[in-house]
Amino acid sequence: LPGLHVFAIAFALEVSVGKTNTVMALNDSNVLLPCVFTTCTGFQDLVFTWYFNSTEMIYHGKIKNKATEPTLVMRNPRVEFVGSTTKKDNNISIVLNNVEFSDAGKYTCHVKNPKERNAQHNATILLTVVHKMVETDNTVTLIIVGVVGGLIGLLILFMLIKRVVLFIIKKTQDGKKECLVSSSGNDNTENGLAGSKAEQKAPPKA
């Protein structure tokens, strides 16, 4: 159906900024803003744009095709393109140099592909700028993981010991049963109910 065909094409273009959409940067440092795009049908004369807080354009580029690298149309002086589209991934990441506190906010990577009937897609990164990086103390987490791992190990060991003990008990009980059966047979023979018959007196003759 034509409608379904258009719907499929419209969603063939995907843009991603990675597993997490939050980035923390130290004041006066350089920060990477990652972005990659994928398309099932390839691309031709693709346009990509980076926006700050949805309105301010900080980088604008074009890509002729998969065999060529992006060409710059416009950029903020502090923004540097560090991606590549001729390799495996279509990487259109940028680096923001000399980060300031006023740079904190929302950065949107927007892509438009004319080959997919001008399909468009975007992804957003939230940038936080701090005075200094706070080290995360993972001691408690490591202790909890160690304790949980130890308990699981003890549980597995307990189950193994239980199985071995039950196996030994079963074997012992089976052995006792065999002994009882054998012993019972010997007693009957020795006390011999068969011998008793032989010892019975013959009935008196008339």
Side-chain angles (χ1 to χ4, degrees):
L1 295 174
L4 291 176
H5 181 66
V6 172
F7 182 84
I9 291 179
F11 285 90
L13 178 67
E14 292 290 339
V15 179
S16 172
V17 291
K19 293 182 179 179
T20 176
N21 66 340
T22 58
V23 174
M24 184 177 292
L26 191 63
N27 184 44
D28 201 33
S29 67
N30 301 335
V31 61
L32 172 69
L33 301 177
C35 183
V36 296
F37 70 88
T38 57
T39 172
C40 297
T41 59
F43 60 89
Q44 187 77 30
D45 297 322
L46 182 140
V47 177
F48 68 96
T49 311
W50 277 91
Y51 293 98
F52 175 56
N53 286 338
S54 303
T55 55
E56 182 184 346
M57 185 184 295
I58 60 173
Y59 196 95
H60 183 50
K62 290 184 177 181
I63 314 170
K64 183 69 177 174
N65 50 49
K66 184 65 178 175
T68 61
E69 292 289 1
T71 57
L72 172 67
V73 177
M74 186 284 296
R75 75 179 179 95
N76 182 294
R78 290 193 296 124
V79 175
E80 178 185 358
F81 181 80
V82 294
S84 174
T85 53
T86 57
K87 298 178 182 179
K88 183 179 178 180
D89 296 324
N90 295 315
N91 189 334
I92 49 175
S93 303
I94 59 173
V95 167
L96 181 60
N97 297 312
N98 306 119
V99 174
E100 303 171 355
F101 290 107
S102 58
D103 292 323
K106 183 171 66 173
Y107 289 81
T108 303
C109 176
H110 181 271
V111 178
K112 179 180 179 181
N113 186 14
K115 190 173 181 179
E116 295 182 74
R117 300 188 180 184
N118 289 321
Q120 302 181 51
H121 201 258
N122 63 67
T124 300
I125 297 174
L126 298 176
L127 175 64
T128 303
V129 183
V130 296
H131 282 286
K132 63 178 181 179
M133 294 294 186
V134 179
E135 293 185 4
T136 304
D137 188 359
N138 293 323
T139 305
V140 176
T141 303
L142 291 174
I143 291 173
I144 293 172
V145 170
V147 171
V148 172
L151 289 174
I152 292 173
L154 287 174
L155 181 61
I156 293 172
L157 181 61
F158 172 76
M159 295 298 290
L160 288 173
I161 292 173
K162 182 180 176 182
R163 280 192 152 197
V164 171
V165 170
L166 290 174
F167 177 78
I168 293 172
I169 291 172
K170 186 176 184 299
K171 283 292 182 182
T172 304
Q173 288 176 343
D174 290 345
K176 286 182 178 179
K177 286 179 181 177
E178 289 177 3
C179 290
L180 287 171
V181 171
S182 175
S183 169
S184 175
N186 291 334
D187 289 345
N188 288 337
T189 304
E190 290 172 1
N191 294 331
L193 295 178
S196 297
K197 288 181 181 178
E199 293 172 1
Q200 287 178 1
K201 293 181 178 180
K205 295 182 180 179

